[in-house]
Amino acid sequence: MPITMNPLVVGRVIGDVLDPFSSSVSLRVVYNSNKEVINCGELKPSQIINHPRVEVGGDDLRTLYTLVMVDPDAPSPSNPNMREYLHWLVTNIPATTEASFGQEVVSYESPRPTSGIHRFIFVLFRQLGRQPIPAPGWRQNFITRDFAEYYNLGLPVAAVYFNCQRQDLADQKFTNSTNTPSKLGEWIPTKPSMDDPLVVVDGD
């Protein structure tokens, strides 16, 4: 496939968030049992309240993966000064299984875009082995490239993304939702220094 036809290039996922890479592992992301994430596709906020089922390919259970979900368009595509916003982080996912078999380092926060069309990107990295990865000190201004470099994850082995925009109340298909954003009491409230690629919070 010519690189210009790669949907990750067309959608500027490669460029804004990732460097060019070759996919080598299958990655399937499905919301609500039947809403599969397809590159360039669109999902509504009401369809992505709960974390999706994420199926990871491969052929050896001893191979482990890290999954990152980010929004590079926060708070708005015209002024993405929170790029990238971290929505989910799961590590130590065995090959041939699902993200639920890994370690959830940062809990899933359902996307709620308020302005413009946002891209929500799932990125899969192959780990060198089982490794502890502490929760970053913030969700905003998370940098996937720096995160991967800091933990020697190399280039991604798979990625997929969808588009999402604000959903008017009249268009919502649900009522009395119990979904709320994850509490951020554990996050450092100050913006990270640009000189430090990643700040981590040590456990008690």
Side-chain angles (χ1 to χ4, degrees):
M1 175 185 296
I3 191 169
T4 54
M5 297 300 293
N6 185 334
L8 298 177
V9 174
V10 175
R12 303 191 313 279
V13 171
I14 291 178
D16 287 350
V17 178
L18 305 174
D19 293 325
F21 71 96
S22 296
S23 296
S24 57
V25 175
S26 63
L27 175 65
R28 186 168 184 256
V29 181
V30 181
Y31 280 97
N32 297 329
S33 300
N34 62 356
K35 298 294 183 182
E36 183 170 357
V37 173
I38 300 175
N39 283 321
C40 305
E42 182 169 352
L43 293 174
K44 298 177 181 180
S46 60
Q47 297 172 321
I48 54 178
I49 292 172
N50 300 313
H51 71 72
R53 184 176 77 253
V54 178
E55 301 172 357
V56 175
D59 54 12
D60 189 341
L61 281 168
R62 294 171 296 181
T63 303
L64 302 174
Y65 296 90
T66 288
L67 177 74
V68 175
M69 177 187 179
V70 294
D71 172 9
D73 301 311
S76 70
S78 60
N79 183 29
N81 57 46
M82 296 173 67
R83 174 180 293 176
E84 304 153 20
Y85 192 89
L86 179 64
H87 279 269
W88 201 21
L89 175 59
V90 185
T91 65
N92 296 319
I93 306 170
T96 77
T97 69
E98 301 178 8
S100 59
F101 288 87
Q103 178 183 357
E104 186 177 69
V105 176
V106 176
S107 62
Y108 178 82
E109 182 175 314
S110 58
R112 291 185 173 183
T114 58
S115 176
I117 299 175
H118 290 233
R119 296 161 294 169
F120 293 93
I121 306 164
F122 295 88
V123 188
L124 190 69
F125 293 97
R126 181 183 290 111
Q127 300 174 198
L128 296 177
R130 183 173 295 276
Q131 61 186 114
I133 297 180
W138 65 94
R139 287 186 187 260
Q140 70 275 12
N141 300 117
F142 179 88
I143 303 174
T144 301
R145 286 186 179 98
D146 288 351
F147 172 80
E149 180 179 2
Y150 191 89
Y151 288 106
N152 297 313
L153 297 174
L155 291 173
V157 294
V160 65
Y161 83 101
F162 66 93
N163 298 314
C164 184
Q165 58 186 311
R166 181 176 178 175
Q167 184 175 4
D168 293 334
L169 290 176
D171 188 41
Q172 293 186 14
K173 306 296 185 182
F174 67 98
T175 58
N176 299 323
S177 169
T178 58
N179 177 68
T180 56
S182 303
K183 294 181 179 179
L184 296 183
E186 67 272 27
W187 302 106
I188 296 174
T190 55
K191 186 174 181 179
S193 168
M194 295 300 293
D195 295 326
D196 190 350
L198 188 67
V199 177
V200 297
V201 178
D202 292 328
D204 294 335

